[in-house]
Amino acid sequence: MEYFERPVGGERALLVHMSLQEAASRDDLDEFAELARSAGVQVLQLVLARRPRPDARTYVGRGKLEEIRALVEEHDAEVVLFDHTLTPAQERNLERELSCRVLDRTGLILDIFAQRARTHEGKLQVELAQLEHLSSRLVRGWTHLERQKGGIGLRGPGETQLETDRRLLRQRVAQLKLRLEDVRRTRSLGRQARRKASVPVVALVGYTNAGKSTLFNQLCAASVYAADQLFATLDPTLRRWRLEGLGEVVFADTVGFLRDLPHHLVDAFRATLEETVDADLLLQVVDVASSERERQMAAVEEVLQAVGADAVPRLLVYNKIDLLPERTPRVDVDEQGQACAVWLAAREGQGLDLLRQAIVDRLGRHRAWRLLLAPAQGRLRAQLYEQQVVREESIDAEGRSHLHIEMAENSLRHLVEQAGLNLTEILS
């Protein structure tokens, strides 16, 4: 079998998109091109193809492969990017046929993540995702990896460089997982401290480039990098901010989501995305001007389900209304009269006051509760008095406290969970 030295890569790229069923939408193609540009490559040409099913060997058919090879030679392309997930065998076969670097959608996203990561945690998460992606691709096609090690005690079969690299990779992956577990524990301690202080957490989630970081900066007077590009920010950012009528709130800006986001990427960023699981309210930012907004919202829902955050209370934020014919900010309410969606333009600063009021409405709405606490639950009773929310109390013959309190639901749930109880167990 013929082997070759694997190309290092480059910045002059051909893009390949193959439709397996229906024709590709313009937005899908634009998003693919924007992903490539976000990685810093020069897009030479977009190649479209259609097949009923992928070719097992090269994903595209023989005729399309010849067309791509001719374009690689014509444009002197250094890398070919596929808007699909390729198997390791397909990636190797394509590189052998085209004699240039080949990256699939996952590899492209990882390259962008590697460029965007700034914090220690972000770099750990990216490296773990890259190594786990690389582990299945450490097989033939890299000639130096097949050479035998020599020297005293290693003559004969010995250990191939490929086997050595696999062993070292497994060790590094194990180290990274341990270090990320430390990060997860540290984040967990921070969340516990916020719970004890009854500080509500609002996490911003949404499709990449929906305007989350711009909105975050407007809400918190922060300076998180924001640009009109995919994955402009990768590392999570937390800011404390005081909202009138509610008090201190922690806002968390998270990594943007994307359609067909590989599962191992979600797993690698689980430590970051756990901020959404423990949030009191999710602000789901939606690019209302996008023709693909329904699909983008479905992609966000899929990731939230994967990390277990789909049950967290949510407030929709329809951003970029300045691109619509109807540009007036407004608030939509549900059947209970509670804010469920806010229409605004974050970059222009339109509708921000409506959003702040909606957040206060969702988090700070005080309501009356009647609780029944056993004598053993005296600590919870004391905490309620510390919060100055007790309006009336009576003690029955069994020593149980009948409390009438006024408190926001999220704050009450925090205290009750902290005491190891369920709210429904103590309602009277």
Side-chain angles (χ1 to χ4, degrees):
M1 184 178 290
E2 180 184 356
Y3 300 116
F4 65 97
E5 289 292 347
R6 194 165 196 257
V8 174
E11 296 182 349
R12 295 170 53 81
L14 283 178
L15 310 186
V16 179
H17 180 97
M18 188 169 77
S19 302
L20 299 179
Q21 296 175 346
E22 55 191 27
S25 73
R26 186 71 252 170
D27 279 356
D28 281 351
L29 298 179
D30 289 345
E31 180 180 280
F32 180 33
E34 186 59 34
L35 269 176
R37 284 189 286 269
S38 295
V41 303
Q42 177 188 351
V43 177
L44 302 172
Q45 187 171 330
L46 175 62
V47 181
L48 300 178
R50 291 191 69 178
R51 281 178 65 88
R53 66 185 63 84
D55 180 80
R57 184 174 179 275
T58 59
Y59 201 85
V60 296
R62 172 55 58 182
K64 187 59 65 172
L65 183 62
E66 291 298 329
E67 178 186 337
I68 296 171
R69 194 205 322 266
L71 289 171
V72 167
E73 295 174 358
E74 176 187 343
H75 293 288
D76 192 25
E78 298 168 312
V79 60
V80 178
L81 304 176
F82 279 74
D83 190 22
H84 315 278
T85 300
L86 302 175
T87 66
Q90 288 169 339
E91 193 173 295
R92 295 194 306 276
N93 292 335
L94 285 165
E95 288 187 341
R96 188 176 295 113
E97 294 284 350
L98 302 175
S99 297
C100 74
R101 185 83 163 89
V102 173
L103 269 183
D104 66 359
R105 182 181 177 85
T106 301
L108 177 59
I109 293 172
L110 282 171
D111 185 84
I112 298 170
F113 279 14
Q115 295 179 46
R116 301 284 193 266
R118 293 292 179 268
T119 65
H120 175 65
E121 176 190 352
K123 291 175 181 178
L124 286 178
Q125 291 174 138
V126 170
E127 185 181 355
L128 175 60
Q130 285 179 318
L131 291 180
E132 291 187 329
H133 181 66
L134 178 64
S135 62
S136 61
R137 284 156 169 76
L138 278 182
V139 286
R140 307 174 75 89
W142 288 257
T143 55
H144 74 283
L145 296 182
E146 290 299 314
R147 296 171 187 153
Q148 297 285 337
K149 292 174 63 177
I152 301 297
L154 290 174
R155 303 189 192 282
E159 181 181 41
T160 66
Q161 185 63 45
L162 175 60
E163 291 164 343
T164 302
D165 284 3
R166 278 178 174 160
R167 176 169 48 80
L168 293 174
L169 186 146
R170 286 195 299 270
Q171 292 173 356
R172 180 60 178 165
V173 166
Q175 291 173 355
L176 288 172
K177 287 184 175 179
L178 287 175
R179 292 167 71 177
L180 280 173
E181 189 58 39
D182 289 339
V183 170
R184 183 175 285 112
R185 281 195 293 268
T186 301
R187 283 190 172 278
S188 178
L189 291 174
R191 286 192 292 269
Q192 290 177 21
R194 292 194 295 269
R195 282 182 177 276
K196 287 182 179 178
S198 295
V199 178
V201 177
V202 178
L204 281 72
V205 299
Y207 206 77
T208 184
N209 207 29
K212 290 188 294 75
S213 295
T214 300
L215 180 60
F216 182 83
N217 288 337
Q218 292 278 27
L219 286 173
C220 306
S223 56
V224 173
Y225 178 67
D228 185 18
Q229 58 183 204
L230 303 184
F231 300 115
T233 54
L234 178 63
D235 300 306
T237 307
L238 279 74
R239 291 285 187 276
R240 280 181 181 255
W241 195 250
R242 180 171 291 278
L243 288 181
E244 186 177 349
L246 184 62
E248 271 201 343
V249 177
V250 171
F251 285 95
D253 187 19
T254 61
V255 62
F257 302 158
L258 195 70
R259 68 175 176 86
D260 302 326
L261 197 62
H263 287 295
H264 68 271
L265 288 188
V266 176
D267 290 339
F269 284 84
R270 190 170 293 274
T272 297
L273 295 173
E274 279 177 357
E275 293 293 344
T276 64
V277 179
D278 289 328
D280 297 279
L281 180 67
L282 296 183
L283 298 186
Q284 183 176 345
V285 185
V286 180
D287 180 357
V288 74
S290 172
S291 60
E292 294 287 304
R293 77 182 191 192
E294 296 300 328
R295 288 182 58 194
Q296 292 175 0
M297 291 174 70
V300 171
E301 188 67 32
E302 183 179 343
V303 177
L304 290 176
Q305 287 179 357
V307 299
D310 52 312
V312 178
R314 205 174 311 181
L315 177 63
L316 291 175
V317 180
Y318 290 116
N319 190 26
K320 305 186 184 181
I321 63 169
D322 52 312
L323 303 179
L324 299 179
E326 174 54 54
R327 304 183 179 186
T328 305
R330 72 174 193 266
V331 177
D332 295 342
V333 297
D334 58 20
E335 297 174 352
Q336 288 75 41
Q338 182 173 250
C340 60
V342 180
W343 299 67
L344 53 76
R347 186 178 59 184
E348 307 300 325
Q350 301 175 7
L352 296 178
D353 288 342
L354 294 177
L355 177 59
R356 292 188 183 98
Q357 186 54 50
I359 294 172
V360 172
D361 179 60
R362 291 293 298 268
L363 291 179
R365 176 178 287 184
H366 284 61
R367 41 178 295 204
W369 304 87
R370 292 193 177 275
L371 308 180
L372 177 61
L373 301 184
Q377 295 160 349
R379 178 173 174 77
L380 175 58
R381 174 181 174 276
Q383 289 175 324
L384 292 171
Y385 269 98
E386 287 175 8
Q387 298 270 341
Q388 299 181 349
V389 296
V390 179
R391 300 293 175 260
E392 185 180 328
E393 180 185 16
S394 61
I395 309 295
D396 62 20
E398 299 177 8
R400 297 179 301 178
S401 298
H402 295 257
L403 296 171
H404 176 203
I405 69 171
E406 290 184 10
M407 194 174 189
E409 181 175 352
N410 69 291
S411 300
L412 177 58
R413 287 188 183 278
H414 279 170
L415 286 179
V416 171
E417 290 172 7
Q418 190 178 327
L421 301 171
N422 190 303
L423 181 57
T424 57
E425 297 175 352
I426 59 173
L427 292 177
S428 65

